Each structure stands twice: as C-alpha cells, then as structure tokens.
Amino acid sequence: KVLGHFFRELGALTLMEALRKMALMPALRVEGRAPAMRDKGRVRVGVDADLVAFDPDRVADRATYAEPTLPPEGMEHVLVNGVPVVSGGHLNAEATPGRAVRAPVG
C-alpha cells in the first residue's frame, strides 16, 4: 500500500521515505524492547539479510478483506535471512528461513 499508493500513485512520499517508513522506522520503534530488531530495517554487514527487489512501476497491494491472501504485484525477489522465498515473482512455499523476534519476558 505504501509503495503503490503513497509513493507511486499519490507522490506523497519519495521512494526513500516510503522504504524508511516500512523498514527502519518499525525496527527503531521496538528495538529497545526487542534487541533483535537492531538487525532489521538496515542494510549493512552483520545484520539479517532480509531484502526485497521490487519493480516500483508495478508494485501494488492486491489483498482485500474478501481475499486477504492475494499476493502483491511487482515483488520480484524476496530474501529472508539470505534465503530466497520469492524468486522471479513466484513464492517458494518450501522455504521457511524466518525466525521469530521476541522480547525478553519480565
């Protein structure tokens, strides 16, 4: 929704602003409580390799309340922890490299 609507259609955000709102800002918001989030939302050596390659001219959220599992358009490649889970726009349902991010109890 952010990339397709606010960045491309409305021009209300630059691409970098949109990416920051979707990746870095959520990580910054919770990293004080869940330290593992310090390795999210950033691209640098030593952090989790969660990356998305997308077509900014095509990216669009297709999910609706009636069909919440419709995949987005324009998401060409997705790496989670360095493992391809989407390649050429197709989901690899066998790949499950993600790990839960948990805050300490107490």
Side-chain angles (χ1 to χ4, degrees), residues 33 103-106:
R33 180 75 178 114
V105 178

Side-chain angles (χ1 to χ4, degrees), residues 2 7 46 72 95:
V2 172
F7 160 64

Side-chain angles (χ1 to χ4, degrees), residues 32-101:
R33 180 75 178 114
M37 291 304 287
R38 291 186 186 113
D39 290 340
K40 303 290 184 188
R42 301 148 173 96
V43 177
R44 67 174 185 242
V45 174
V47 299
D48 296 336
D50 298 341
L51 301 169
V52 178
F54 62 91
D55 180 347
D57 295 328
R58 287 188 35 235
V59 68
D61 177 19
R62 298 183 330 129
T64 65
Y65 286 109
E67 296 182 90
T69 61
L70 285 176
E73 293 275 337
M75 294 292 180
E76 300 301 321
H77 301 281
V78 178
L79 300 175
V80 175
N81 203 23
V83 176
V85 295
V86 174
S87 185
H90 300 286
L91 177 66
N92 175 1
E94 306 287 316
T96 57
R99 296 185 313 254
V101 174

Side-chain angles (χ1 to χ4, degrees), residues 12-37:
L13 298 170
T14 67
L15 180 56
M16 292 309 293
E17 289 169 334
L19 295 174
R20 186 173 195 278
K21 285 183 176 289
M22 294 185 311
L24 181 59
M25 289 174 70
L28 290 171
R29 182 171 297 133
V30 297
E31 70 184 19
R33 180 75 178 114
M37 291 304 287

